[in-house]
Amino acid sequence: LTVECKDSSASVGNTEVENFISRIIGQCAANLVSGGTMVSRNGFTPSARQAAASHKAISLVSWEELTSAILDVRTQLRESVKQYEMSDIFDNYLPLSVDQLSWDTLAPSGGRRSSTDAIISSWLSSSRDVASGPTVLVILADFGAGKSTLLHRVHYERAKALLDGSETRVPLFVPLRDFRHTRDVTALIRMAFRDAYFRDLPSDLLWQRINAGRFYLLLDGFDEM
């Protein structure tokens, strides 16, 4: 397979694609390759797409399409959802009641009682706008209070939402106790993704997607780092 990458600021046009097609046809005729793929950072013009459409050995892929394919983990998420629904906690899970406290005094604010599920649901709604919404939610509680159980439930709910099309972010559970093995945040997150989805993401692609708001990073166990 011949792969040609275009890092131009504009969409790749008809001329460049036709030249690429001619080269691939020649290479196929010489039995050097069986096909060719052109990858473009900013996609292709409609005429360029049309020029390649009739050639089965030629494929045009934008950077967004390529990375989306790499991050298509729906098969693994279906298995994760299935396993969670077969576990005991699925039937026995109870959302905790929440009292809102004043940040300055930690005294009850007098507001209406809520639940962990309602708080997280509200945060999820407000965090969808990466540019202006809150992007971090911190959950503090004593040892054994159910923080990990809560995060696993959030992972399950977000996985179901992605599978039914109402969510676009990929949930990723990161056990921070593994930090002692890596001593590197990037290596830790890559290891978590590999363990969960059986794929190894390059570091630059990983952080590009994190910064673009394409993940829910569920960081579990700060006290175990």
Side-chain angles (χ1 to χ4, degrees):
L1 180 69
T2 293
V3 179
E4 184 170 332
C5 299
K6 296 295 187 181
D7 193 25
S8 57
S9 58
S11 300
V12 174
N14 191 45
T15 301
E16 288 181 284
V17 169
E18 287 185 342
N19 290 337
F20 177 70
I21 292 172
S22 296
R23 289 196 300 274
I24 299 304
I25 290 176
Q27 292 174 1
C28 288
N31 291 322
L32 298 175
V33 299
S34 58
T37 297
M38 180 178 282
V39 182
S40 169
R41 176 162 64 97
N42 284 301
F44 301 87
T45 63
S47 60
R49 292 274 190 188
Q50 187 175 2
S54 59
H55 298 275
K56 294 183 178 180
I58 306 295
S59 59
L60 305 181
V61 184
S62 70
W63 175 249
E64 179 65 26
E65 291 169 338
L66 180 62
T67 54
S68 295
I70 293 173
L71 291 172
D72 184 0
V73 294
R74 287 173 293 182
T75 298
Q76 294 87 343
L77 284 177
R78 289 189 189 96
E79 183 62 27
S80 174
V81 166
K82 179 181 177 181
Q83 289 182 0
Y84 185 86
E85 291 178 345
M86 292 173 61
S87 67
D88 291 338
I89 195 62
F90 176 71
D91 292 321
N92 298 322
Y93 175 82
L94 293 173
L96 300 178
S97 297
V98 174
D99 283 321
Q100 297 191 36
L101 307 180
S102 166
W103 178 255
D104 295 330
T105 64
L106 295 185
S109 62
R112 187 174 58 183
R113 296 193 79 185
S114 185
S115 69
T116 49
D117 285 5
I119 294 286
I120 291 174
S121 178
S122 175
W123 175 81
L124 289 171
S125 297
S126 61
S127 69
R128 296 185 191 282
D129 184 0
V130 177
S132 61
T135 57
V136 176
L137 176 66
V138 179
I139 299 171
L140 304 176
D142 290 335
F143 175 79
K147 300 183 298 295
S148 298
T149 299
L150 175 60
L151 285 184
H152 282 298
R153 189 71 175 198
V154 172
H155 183 279
Y156 165 71
E157 297 288 355
R158 291 302 91 207
K160 284 209 318 177
L162 191 147
L163 290 172
D164 69 22
S166 61
E167 178 62 81
T168 59
R169 300 186 188 189
V170 176
L172 179 60
F173 188 91
V174 182
L176 294 177
R177 65 176 177 271
D178 292 339
F179 182 75
R180 69 188 69 157
H181 304 305
T182 63
R183 297 290 174 179
D184 180 83
V185 172
T186 300
L188 174 68
I189 300 175
R190 288 182 66 193
M191 183 170 68
F193 190 89
R194 185 169 57 248
D195 290 345
Y197 300 121
F198 314 114
R199 298 183 185 182
D200 197 7
L201 285 185
S203 300
D204 55 348
L205 175 59
L206 173 68
W207 282 111
Q208 181 190 65
R209 303 311 258 188
I210 290 175
N211 292 329
R214 300 298 292 272
F215 280 101
Y216 284 118
L217 294 181
L218 307 175
L219 308 177
D220 181 52
F222 278 101
D223 58 327
E224 299 181 57
M225 292 184 70

